Amino acid sequence: MKNTSSQSKASRSNLHQAEFWLQFCFAVISCLGGLILASGPGAEAIPAIAISFSVFGFVLVDRLQLFHLPPIGAYVAMGLAAVYCVGNFWDAQTTGNEQMIAVAMLLVLVQAILMLQQKSPRIFEQIGVFCLLQLVVGAVFNDAIHFGLLLSVISVFAAWALSLMSSVAASEGIRSRAVSPQVALASQDVTPNQAPSSLEAPVMTLAPVMTEVSDLGLRHRLADHWMFRPIGNTVERVSWVVAWSPDSVPSLAGASSKLQVFGMCALTPAILLVTALFFYGLPRTTSASRLGSRGNALVGFSDTVRLDQFGQMLQSSATALRFTMTDRRTGSSYIPTSEIYLRGRVLENYEPDFSLSRPVSTWNAVPLGRISGSQRLPLEFTASQISDRQLYDGVDVNVSCNAMKQASLFAIAPYHVTGKSKKIVHAVDRWTLTRKDRNMIAYPAIDYGFGTNAFFQGQQSAVVTRTSTLGRMLSSTIAGQDSAALSTEVKAATKAGDRVIDLSYAARSRTYRPDSYLSDLTEFDDAAMPTLQRLAQDMLSSIPPSQRTTEVIAKAFERHLAVAGGYQYTLNLDSEVPPGTDPIEQFVAVDKRGHCQYFASALAMMLRAVNIPARLVVGYRTAEYNDLGQYFVARQLHAHAWVEALIDRDQLDESHRLFGQAPSSEYWLRLDPTPGDSEMPDRSGGNVDQVIDMAENLWDKYVVTMDADRQPDAVTGISQQSFFSALVQGASKSVMRLRRGQLGTGIRLGGWSSLPGVFSWPAAVMAVILGIGFIGLAKRLRSWLIRRKKQQKSNSEADKPSVAFYADALDELSRIGLHRQADETPDEFVSSALRHASGAELVAPLQVVTEAFYSACYNEGDALSLSRDEIDGEQKLSLAIEKLNSGVRSILDQPRPR
Amino acid sequence: MNSPPYPQTIAQDPIAQVPSVWDSDDASPGVANARSARLPIRFTRLGLHCLFVAIFAMAGGAIRGFNLLLVLAGFLVAILIIQWRCSRRAIESLGVTRVLPDGAFAGTPFRVQYAIQNRSRWLNVWMIRVDDHLTVDGSGGAVNSILSRINYDSLRSIACGIGLIRIQQTAVATCDCLIKRRGRYRFFDVQLSTSFPFALLNGIRRELSEETFWVFPELLTLGRDWKQHLPTQSGSGAATARRSGVGEGEFYGLRPWQRGDSPRQIHWRTTARLGELAVRQTEESHSVDLCLVVDAYVSPTEGADASKSVNTTSGEPAVLETTLRLAATLAVQLSEDRQNQLMMLAAGKEIHSLGARGKRSSPRDMLRLLSDVEGQQANDLTGAIQSAWSLSGGRQSLVVLSTRSIGDALQASSSDESGSPDLSELLSAWRRRADIKWIDVSDNTSNGWFSNDTMHGNWGGHVVSGRMTNAQKTNPQVTNPQVTNPRATSGVEAFADWQRRQHDDGVTP
């Protein structure tokens, strides 16, 4: 009785535990499903509703059972929620984002109503279905990495819950208890009692004598069908047979916990593998679409930049782009020692607007010609002298730019074409890149690449060669003048047959004005900026004439703004600008505080004041490096503005290395007057941030933006190379590095990250699969061998006899190694027992048992049919069996010889 | 007379040597050969939802380029594939054998066991559900077609389950059942199903295993003096006394010779061995040797009030049921003593007979006979009495259990113009010997020696052998009655116990 009650207790415990975990899992799923819909503004209420109702439902409805929503109330609530949400949906002015929020809200509200209902398998199924729908909506509108993270967590809990549901499904309709037949016979009530557990079928009372048979047949079979069965308890119908199974439900509930472990350990890898195979193997017909990015695209840089535009950008840490730099010679990551300037847009015209109460200035780009802004990237310049080639570092840059609202891209000048430059075009003499496909409302993420020789020993060159006259000619505006006005140079170049020139275009070009661009670069309103002019003149005069080169002058101005002038960097632009005052004048004369746009604008104006051509360049300045992924990150807060001054070659300082770019008579000198430490690279971020950033990068690269172009790369892990050749190449490179003593940049993070190119995901996956296959094969072989040995052993043994006492005797003797063979008769077995070392003393009782066995088998009448005249026949057998058992026990108790 | 086709041999050890459905040569006789069928994997409700969402996600992702939809679709497809393979593999590796008890008493729970084998070498099988189907068998087993024997209106299913069966092991699932009405029932398909691991697909396997199962009449409670209501002179002692006038009684031991002992009592073999005289000790035999005839007469008024039922053997009048119950109780009680010789006939729609003079009928067969009895107004009681005389050779006592008085029966017989012998004349032979007892069950005044209280309220309820032992007295209100020997802690032991009882009953060697 004690065993029964303890078993019963354990069974109840299993049941309650399974019920608890089932409720818990679905509450978590409900909560996470709401979280997955939270994205962007306007959806703040969704996660709040999901979390609160999940907790509320689990604690108050499921566990404490304080109340629950009746079915009719649930239907009414769902109807109201649908009316509320759909009403928002059909509004003509509702945007796509708002429609998405309406759909998400509807899903969350319905799921919240389900959580308030009393749980049954049907309710659990509906919660699961709504979670699936939430995943679908989330997949469409939310492509952030937290979708992937939440999906993983939801998957774990969903698998857990489904394994519990399989036990619920198996136990559906199985009763575990029945009342006493006496009590049941006296009862005329066929309505079942309330089940204590949702996992347990209602207690079944016995039905009285069945009086009506008319309800049987099709109607009852339909009522039994799961589609028509009402939610919740059902009324049992009359039946002439009652069945219950006390052990089934606890057995099923108890096994569910073990099934979870099995599911996690054994099935998860298989599911992940199939998912990966499906995702990466499915042929793509369209490019990746990102609805989520349309509302969240970054601002980007256009050809018009307001002076206060950077203030908002500089406060955002959203990632604008990620780029890798690879040393072309060694193949390893190239990490500069200073900050990297990525140019986005070049702006020449400065236009203040005094019509507003608070004057605002804008920098605009001079309109480009139709062709000049859409050129292919120039070819790489290769120094004619081999010794010169050692004086610059050839670097390949691969950029992953996030979605932006502008077509402009970012580059390190001077650049040249590589294999990844197909989607981008180059603006002549501005050294800026743009997407080939323009005229879109928003531009999706894009991957592109270029090469650059701008670096040497980790330092980015501050000078960029000016495009040749021929090249610049394409950037001129078309004016209606006679072709005879073309300069001598152009004519000479045309005659040389330079392929760059489109002769027909050149013929159509009426006027080439080489100075028109320069005039834009020197345009200065001294009336609007007297302080600036005076400052420039004063500084100019302070430089000794013998040292007064253009670069010296420019550097002096730069130093003044950055260091000596007492200017302060701030993003807070709350100072009042008097009407009619130029903001730059205000900055220089009064405020002396501002952000990089003000500093750059002031420097540009100062240079123009002394007739030095200068233009504004906007882009990113970053030194953030992710050691884990070995790439640089440019965020919105890295947006920067600097100045480029056009300086003649002979005015440049000799320290500038110009070997990596085509020689020219003029160069663009980069000047950055913004105060701040820009010497040491900023390897900021922390390990956690780096991990998060890399995860986002991988998520974006290998999941969200996966398309037909990326698929081969994703599958093989290495682009444009065969797997094995890349493996060999990577191995040889790593050996070379080891010989040189270079252990890679990621050494402090350990292991694989320091050997890029050797580690390959496909190889790792293959190794894991092979390893699992090998282990499985070894296990199978071992079990086959064991089974074969057992079978051989069992084949030689006789079948178990049907006479119970003889079978028991044989079992007892087998404990000491005495096995009756298949070809042995009982008598022969006695003889063989006699020969056995341990069996001699057992022969006598065994003989008695054998004789009794023969009698039982072959004599008619009762078993044990010894002679009726022998009064102790049965006693004799009992004594023999007892002697046999005690003999076996004594043999087993004997100490075994060593 | 129809002899019901009772199986002559019983499955030897259904648990330890489970007759595999794949090894038809080894199938024990008496267990119906089973055929198995694996049904297509079916989607559950949740599985259908998953499939729809997966298709939608796949289409949306492929057409519109939403990679996350493809991730979701891939995930769902992976789960469905894994579920499909697991369900299929699990259900293919399963085999089931139903183990029924030999019979059960109406209103007394009995246990059905399902030995489920997992033949897989790799995979444990989880969450197995067993659904069995049974129906009332009104055809007497004569029709060969399964479909003809299925009474769909009375088709019911019972269910049980097991959480886990490990690799290459057999587990036993049990289901306790209770059938209120006596009769013959038929178990049909056993269906195994599992939706392991994620409840998205249901793998189903159906074992077409047909077995007949008898539900015996409920036993009554007999008073202490119940034997006095049987004929006064009965048993072999009585027959011997009639022949020789001397009843020697039952041998039970030896003792030394004492003055006064009859030389006929000397046991010569022992005397030779011991060297001194030894005599047999005997005990007067109280064995019973009688013929029990059940008069399953249904009066016209009682037949009109009989409840409609799909069970052709139910809906009988209460008096007839009580009669059958009394017959069953007497059969069980009298069979406890191996010395008793009992023959049984029943006159209902047909005449059923069992046993013969000198041959001992098993209580199980008698109970089965009683299970099949159907009452009728114009039953051939005379023919049954005539058969009783011829089978017993006129040497057995006669006990008639009837729903009417002897007067009514004689009157009905005399008014019968079919030319059959007169009942009165047939009974006169026993009357002359005072070797007949007519028990009118409908007469409440003289039937105080038995009550309608069901025996399982006071007894533990051994249903497999039909032999009630003294050791099974339990509380009247049994909340979960044990349906097998309480000493048995596993199905194997229960059946070993049953087997031993079979030996005692002399059913099998």
Side-chain angles (χ1 to χ4, degrees):
Chain A
M1 285 299 276
K2 281 187 182 176
N3 280 342
T4 307
S5 67
S6 64
Q7 282 172 4
S8 169
K9 236 181 200 178
S11 300
R12 298 293 307 169
S13 169
N14 278 339
L15 264 178
H16 286 303
Q17 214 172 13
E19 187 182 21
F20 170 80
W21 287 119
L22 195 62
Q23 291 164 349
F24 177 76
C25 285
F26 276 98
V28 170
I29 287 170
S30 170
C31 173
L32 294 177
L35 288 177
I36 217 167
L37 293 174
S39 65
E44 295 86 359
I46 292 174
I49 293 172
I51 294 171
S52 57
F53 276 91
S54 300
V55 172
F56 195 74
F58 176 66
V59 173
L60 297 181
V61 178
D62 296 338
R63 301 314 303 165
L64 300 179
Q65 295 183 348
L66 293 179
F67 83 102
H68 64 88
L69 207 58
I72 187 68
Y75 293 139
V76 169
M78 287 182 196
L80 290 173
V83 168
Y84 167 71
C85 296
V86 172
N88 291 339
F89 194 86
W90 294 113
D91 190 349
Q93 296 180 353
T94 308
T95 63
N97 199 43
E98 290 169 352
Q99 287 177 341
M100 185 279 289
I101 293 173
V103 170
M105 183 66 77
L106 176 62
L107 293 174
V108 167
L109 285 175
V110 171
Q111 201 167 48
I113 293 167
L114 288 172
M115 282 302 296
L116 295 180
Q117 286 190 275
Q118 188 179 20
K119 301 303 181 297
S120 67
R122 193 73 182 270
I123 298 290
F124 286 136
E125 284 176 12
Q126 290 174 351
I127 292 174
V129 168
F130 273 91
C131 182
L132 271 180
L133 295 176
Q134 287 167 343
L135 286 175
V136 170
V137 173
V140 173
F141 292 102
N142 180 10
D143 54 19
I145 193 173
H146 78 265
F147 174 87
L149 295 172
L150 285 173
L151 180 63
S152 311
V153 180
I154 289 176
S155 308
V156 169
F157 281 97
W160 192 356
L162 289 177
S163 65
L164 289 167
M165 286 296 288
S166 69
S167 77
V168 170
S171 61
E172 193 174 4
I174 296 176
R175 286 90 182 172
S176 58
R177 288 181 294 161
V179 297
S180 156
Q182 288 83 351
V183 173
L185 285 172
S187 169
Q188 297 296 317
D189 183 12
V190 298
T191 307
N193 299 328
Q194 185 69 22
S197 162
S198 61
L199 294 180
E200 208 173 343
V203 170
M204 183 63 184
T205 57
L206 289 179
V209 172
M210 197 155 45
T211 56
E212 291 182 3
V213 303
S214 58
D215 285 337
L216 297 176
L218 180 65
R219 192 153 70 87
H220 267 257
R221 284 199 285 275
L222 281 178
D224 272 346
H225 195 275
W226 61 266
M227 287 184 70
F228 303 106
R229 203 177 294 157
I231 297 174
N233 292 327
T234 58
V235 176
E236 295 295 334
R237 56 190 176 95
V238 175
S239 176
W240 47 265
V241 60
V242 175
W244 67 96
S245 180
D247 300 328
S248 293
V249 174
S251 169
L252 292 165
S256 63
S257 59
K258 293 173 195 164
L259 181 57
Q260 293 152 22
V261 175
F262 171 77
M264 294 298 172
C265 297
L267 299 182
T268 301
I271 292 172
L272 290 175
L273 183 65
V274 175
T275 305
L277 285 173
F278 178 89
F279 181 73
Y280 289 110
L282 191 72
R284 301 290 202 280
T285 56
T286 60
S287 57
S289 173
R290 303 179 67 162
L291 272 187
S293 64
R294 288 186 189 168
N296 297 330
L298 298 174
V299 175
F301 297 101
S302 66
D303 287 338
T304 300
V305 176
R306 287 197 327 276
L307 203 59
D308 56 355
Q309 188 169 328
F310 275 33
Q312 209 172 0
M313 287 175 71
L314 291 171
Q315 296 176 40
S316 168
S317 64
T319 303
L321 54 99
R322 297 181 180 92
F323 61 98
T324 59
M325 297 173 65
T326 308
D327 190 330
R328 215 174 302 137
R329 209 161 20 217
T330 62
S332 60
S333 290
Y334 189 88
I335 300 177
T337 54
S338 61
E339 288 164 328
I340 304 167
Y341 289 84
L342 294 139
R343 54 202 298 122
R345 270 288 173 262
V346 170
L347 310 166
E348 295 89 359
N349 289 339
Y350 176 78
E351 293 177 5
D353 184 0
F354 298 108
S355 62
L356 304 173
S357 57
R358 189 172 192 275
V360 173
S361 301
T362 55
W363 280 91
N364 303 303
V366 169
L368 290 173
R370 190 180 49 183
I371 298 176
S372 63
S374 304
Q375 287 294 303
R376 289 190 309 237
L377 270 68
L379 298 172
E380 180 184 5
F381 171 79
T382 307
S384 54
Q385 294 194 12
I386 295 176
S387 58
D388 290 346
R389 295 177 196 169
Q390 307 302 320
L391 298 176
Y392 60 87
D393 299 330
V395 177
D396 285 333
V397 182
N398 293 313
V399 182
S400 292
C401 182
N402 283 344
M404 294 205 174
K405 290 182 181 173
Q406 305 297 333
S408 60
L409 296 173
F410 305 90
I412 299 170
Y415 47 74
H416 54 263
V417 66
T418 63
K420 292 194 172 182
S421 306
K422 295 176 186 173
K423 303 178 196 172
I424 54 180
V425 292
H426 150 72
V428 175
D429 199 35
R430 285 183 170 172
W431 294 102
T432 56
L433 298 176
T434 316
R435 296 169 190 251
K436 199 177 266 186
D437 299 325
R438 286 180 254 186
N439 302 320
M440 296 169 68
I441 299 174
Y443 298 89
I446 185 173
D447 290 341
Y448 62 94
F450 54 87
T452 180
N453 297 336
F455 291 91
F456 180 62
Q457 293 181 347
Q459 289 282 339
Q460 182 179 0
S461 172
V463 294
V464 180
T465 186
R466 196 181 181 203
T467 307
S468 65
T469 307
L470 232 50
R472 286 205 313 273
M473 189 199 77
L474 295 175
S475 68
S476 67
T477 54
I478 298 173
Q481 285 193 5
D482 199 320
S483 58
L486 282 175
S487 68
T488 314
E489 292 170 311
V490 171
K491 285 180 182 174
T494 306
K495 284 179 184 174
D498 193 324
R499 289 181 297 161
V500 175
I501 301 296
D502 180 1
L503 288 176
S504 62
Y505 179 79
R508 284 185 278 112
S509 297
R510 304 293 179 84
T511 303
Y512 172 60
R513 296 181 294 174
D515 296 331
S516 61
Y517 189 63
L518 286 179
S519 65
D520 292 328
L521 298 182
T522 54
E523 189 178 332
F524 176 71
D525 185 358
D526 52 1
M529 291 178 269
T531 308
L532 220 146
Q533 186 185 31
R534 189 168 54 250
L535 179 63
Q537 292 295 337
D538 288 344
M539 290 190 66
L540 181 64
S541 57
S542 68
I543 300 171
S546 58
Q547 300 171 7
R548 202 178 291 174
T549 62
T550 313
E551 183 175 352
V552 167
I553 297 169
K555 287 289 186 186
F557 289 172
E558 180 193 42
R559 199 164 41 250
H560 170 79
L561 288 170
V563 179
Y567 295 91
Q568 204 176 5
Y569 183 89
T570 180
L571 295 178
N572 186 5
L573 303 174
D574 55 356
S575 60
E576 289 292 326
V577 180
T581 305
D582 188 281
I584 300 299
E585 173 69 14
Q586 178 75 12
F587 166 72
V588 172
V590 179
D591 296 335
K592 292 200 173 183
R593 45 197 286 272
H595 52 67
C596 54
Q597 270 186 303
Y598 285 86
F599 284 91
S601 303
L603 178 60
M605 290 299 123
M606 288 176 68
L607 289 169
R608 291 182 180 185
V610 296
N611 212 32
I612 297 175
R615 62 188 184 183
L616 200 75
V617 180
V618 292
Y620 292 99
R621 182 185 69 167
T622 180
E624 183 179 334
Y625 182 70
N626 188 308
D627 291 303
L628 206 59
Q630 296 185 332
Y631 56 82
F632 291 90
V633 180
R635 303 179 186 275
Q636 292 290 75
L637 53 86
H638 295 136
H640 196 53
W642 62 93
V643 174
E644 278 185 343
L646 187 64
I647 299 178
D648 292 334
R649 174 68 182 87
D650 54 359
Q651 296 287 306
L652 278 176
D653 190 79
E654 292 301 322
S655 62
H656 291 295
R657 295 184 187 274
L658 309 173
F659 298 101
Q661 41 195 323
S664 171
S665 58
E666 293 168 312
Y667 287 87
W668 296 101
L669 175 66
R670 184 180 71 243
L671 300 162
D672 189 356
T674 306
D677 185 8
S678 61
E679 292 302 321
M680 293 302 297
D682 179 17
R683 315 247 180 184
S684 62
N687 284 342
V688 175
D689 292 335
Q690 289 188 5
V691 169
I692 292 172
D693 191 75
M694 184 178 172
E696 285 178 348
N697 185 30
L698 289 175
W699 171 258
D700 220 45
K701 190 174 173 185
Y702 287 105
V703 179
V704 179
T705 58
M706 181 57 56
D707 54 18
D709 295 331
R710 285 174 182 266
Q711 248 181 328
D713 299 349
V715 172
T716 61
I718 301 160
S719 62
Q720 307 299 328
Q721 287 181 0
S722 74
F723 168 64
F724 291 106
S725 64
L727 191 64
V728 169
Q729 193 177 357
S732 63
K733 282 181 183 173
S734 63
V735 168
M736 281 171 56
R737 279 200 298 274
L738 285 172
R739 283 180 180 168
R740 286 198 298 266
Q742 296 171 7
L743 299 180
T745 57
I747 189 62
R748 59 190 168 97
L749 294 177
W752 62 272
S753 64
S754 64
L755 299 172
V758 175
F759 176 80
S760 165
W761 279 110
V765 169
M766 192 79 73
V768 169
I769 292 172
L770 284 175
I772 292 171
F774 179 74
I775 292 170
L777 198 66
K779 193 177 171 189
R780 186 165 184 176
L781 191 65
R782 181 170 169 271
S783 65
W784 178 76
L785 287 171
I786 291 173
R787 198 172 51 253
R788 190 176 173 185
K789 197 175 173 185
K790 272 189 188 169
Q791 199 172 3
Q792 282 172 352
K793 187 182 168 193
S794 65
N795 280 342
S796 66
E797 292 182 9
D799 293 337
K800 194 169 178 181
S802 58
V803 178
F805 68 85
Y806 191 65
D808 292 342
L810 289 182
D811 286 341
E812 202 64 27
L813 290 170
S814 67
R815 295 171 64 194
I816 57 171
L818 272 173
H819 302 279
R820 185 183 149 214
Q821 302 301 312
D823 56 351
E824 269 186 340
T825 65
D827 276 339
E828 288 170 350
F829 177 61
V830 172
S831 308
S832 64
L834 188 65
R835 291 190 295 271
H836 195 274
S838 309
E841 59 196 76
L842 303 174
V843 167
L846 182 60
Q847 268 177 335
V848 173
V849 171
T850 305
E851 284 173 13
F853 171 72
Y854 276 126
S855 302
C857 283
Y858 303 113
N859 288 350
E860 289 186 359
D862 292 332
L864 315 175
S865 58
L866 303 172
S867 167
R868 281 282 184 194
D869 294 334
E870 297 283 345
I871 63 170
D872 58 348
E874 195 170 333
Q875 287 180 358
K876 195 174 175 183
L877 176 64
S878 305
L879 281 170
I881 291 174
E882 206 177 306
K883 201 170 177 183
L884 197 72
N885 292 341
S886 60
V888 168
R889 273 198 298 273
S890 64
I891 290 170
L892 288 173
D893 289 340
Q894 283 173 7
R896 293 182 186 179
R898 291 189 181 180
Chain B
M1 291 182 291
N2 291 331
S3 298
Y6 303 122
Q8 299 302 307
T9 57
I10 310 295
Q12 294 302 309
D13 192 351
I15 295 297
Q17 296 176 358
V18 175
S20 166
V21 296
W22 288 272
D23 304 325
S24 56
D25 291 338
D26 296 335
S28 303
V31 174
N33 284 333
R35 290 165 290 151
S36 63
R38 183 172 55 82
L39 301 179
I41 302 286
R42 292 178 188 166
F43 278 94
T44 61
R45 196 166 40 225
L46 193 58
L48 278 174
H49 288 129
C50 278
L51 181 67
F52 291 146
V53 173
I55 292 173
F56 172 80
M58 221 182 314
I63 294 171
R64 294 298 303 273
F66 290 121
N67 282 315
L68 294 185
L69 277 184
L70 291 177
V71 170
L72 185 62
F75 192 70
L76 293 174
V77 166
I79 289 177
L80 287 171
I81 289 175
I82 298 296
Q83 166 77 73
W84 169 57
R85 288 310 306 165
C86 288
S87 295
R88 184 188 168 110
R89 193 76 195 119
I91 212 68
E92 280 176 349
S93 64
L94 288 181
V96 64
T97 302
R98 183 202 296 120
V99 180
L100 287 174
D102 214 13
F105 289 97
T108 301
F110 62 94
R111 178 160 287 177
V112 184
Q113 296 186 314
Y114 302 91
I116 307 172
Q117 302 163 281
N118 178 11
R119 295 187 157 222
S120 171
R121 296 174 203 169
W122 297 94
L123 200 63
N124 292 337
V125 183
W126 307 74
M127 309 302 175
I128 305 105
R129 181 188 171 90
V130 182
D131 287 280
D132 204 350
H133 302 86
L134 69 160
T135 182
V136 175
D137 180 15
S139 64
V143 182
N144 288 326
S145 163
I146 291 179
L147 294 177
S148 304
R149 288 199 286 269
I150 295 177
N151 187 340
Y152 284 102
D153 284 340
S154 70
L155 192 64
R156 295 291 182 270
S157 62
I158 60 177
C160 57
I162 289 187
L164 168 64
I165 304 178
R166 297 192 185 274
I167 298 169
Q168 302 252 299
Q169 287 195 6
T170 300
V172 177
T174 60
C175 185
D176 298 339
C177 301
L178 187 148
I179 299 178
K180 278 193 52 47
R181 300 187 184 282
R182 64 171 177 91
R184 189 196 302 226
Y185 297 83
R186 201 170 282 277
F187 279 83
F188 286 100
D189 307 346
V190 179
Q191 180 175 291
L192 293 175
S193 62
T194 177
S195 58
F196 144 85
F198 299 127
L200 300 176
L201 295 170
N202 217 7
I204 300 176
R205 183 181 198 96
R206 188 164 285 170
E207 302 284 345
L208 306 176
S209 170
E210 191 184 335
E211 287 183 77
T212 304
F213 183 73
W214 279 268
V215 177
F216 312 137
E218 278 183 278
L219 302 182
L220 300 173
T221 304
L222 300 177
R224 293 190 179 201
D225 57 346
W226 64 276
K227 281 191 177 178
Q228 296 176 9
H229 295 274
L230 298 179
T232 52
Q233 284 188 323
S234 63
S236 57
T240 308
R242 283 191 289 273
R243 284 196 306 272
S244 61
V246 176
E248 291 194 343
E250 186 79 17
F251 169 81
Y252 76 92
L254 298 171
R255 62 172 172 80
W257 182 84
Q258 292 172 356
R259 189 190 291 277
D261 289 333
S262 165
R264 298 180 65 181
Q265 300 297 321
I266 296 174
H267 193 269
W268 293 108
R269 183 179 295 182
T270 307
T271 300
R273 194 166 68 234
L274 296 178
E276 57 184 34
L277 292 173
V279 297
R280 282 189 285 268
Q281 286 182 297
T282 59
E283 185 183 12
E284 185 179 350
S285 171
H286 294 285
S287 63
V288 170
D289 187 4
L290 61 83
C291 175
L292 203 62
V293 175
V294 178
D295 177 20
Y297 168 77
V298 175
S299 69
T301 51
E302 284 174 329
D305 291 340
S307 305
K308 291 181 184 177
S309 169
V310 294
N311 184 341
T312 57
T313 61
S314 67
E316 301 288 352
V319 175
L320 177 59
E321 286 301 314
T322 307
T323 306
L324 293 170
R325 291 172 66 185
L326 180 60
T329 310
L330 288 176
V332 167
Q333 288 292 320
L334 291 173
S335 298
E336 279 194 6
D337 189 347
R338 292 180 197 171
Q339 303 300 320
N340 293 339
Q341 298 284 337
L342 199 61
M343 189 169 69
M344 179 176 283
L345 294 93
K349 267 189 181 172
E350 302 165 342
I351 295 178
H352 303 279
S353 65
L354 186 66
R357 178 75 174 97
K359 285 191 181 175
R360 188 166 172 268
S361 306
S362 76
R364 182 197 61 200
D365 292 339
M366 288 189 280
L367 292 171
R368 288 183 177 180
L369 182 151
L370 293 171
S371 302
D372 284 340
V373 170
E374 295 177 42
Q376 192 172 4
Q377 182 183 353
N379 62 330
D380 189 7
L381 178 61
T382 308
I385 298 294
Q386 198 172 15
S387 301
W389 178 263
S390 62
L391 288 172
S392 66
R395 293 197 175 94
Q396 280 181 308
S397 306
L398 179 67
V399 174
V400 178
L401 303 176
S402 176
T403 59
R404 53 185 168 175
S405 64
I406 188 170
D408 293 339
L410 291 173
Q411 189 178 2
S413 170
S414 62
S415 61
D416 184 12
E417 299 173 353
S418 60
S420 55
D422 186 29
L423 180 62
S424 175
E425 289 177 17
L426 291 172
L427 294 177
S428 59
W430 280 285
R431 276 177 165 175
R432 279 195 293 274
R433 302 200 310 251
D435 207 11
I436 178 174
K437 183 73 178 180
W438 188 282
I439 300 173
D440 179 8
V441 177
S442 62
D443 184 5
N444 294 326
T445 55
S446 57
N447 290 333
W449 53 279
F450 61 88
S451 70
N452 275 328
D453 294 336
T454 52
M455 197 172 224
H456 68 260
N458 294 321
W459 299 89
H462 278 259
V463 300
V464 291
S465 65
R467 187 179 74 175
M468 314 302 291
T469 66
N470 292 325
Q472 304 307 319
K473 292 189 180 181
T474 58
N475 291 326
Q477 297 293 331
V478 178
T479 55
N480 216 348
Q482 298 298 317
V483 300
T484 55
N485 186 348
R487 291 173 297 176
T489 57
S490 70
V492 177
E493 290 187 46
F495 276 87
D497 196 52
W498 164 80
Q499 203 174 32
R500 279 191 287 275
R501 286 195 292 276
Q502 292 298 308
H503 291 164
D504 295 341
D505 290 343
V507 175
T508 55

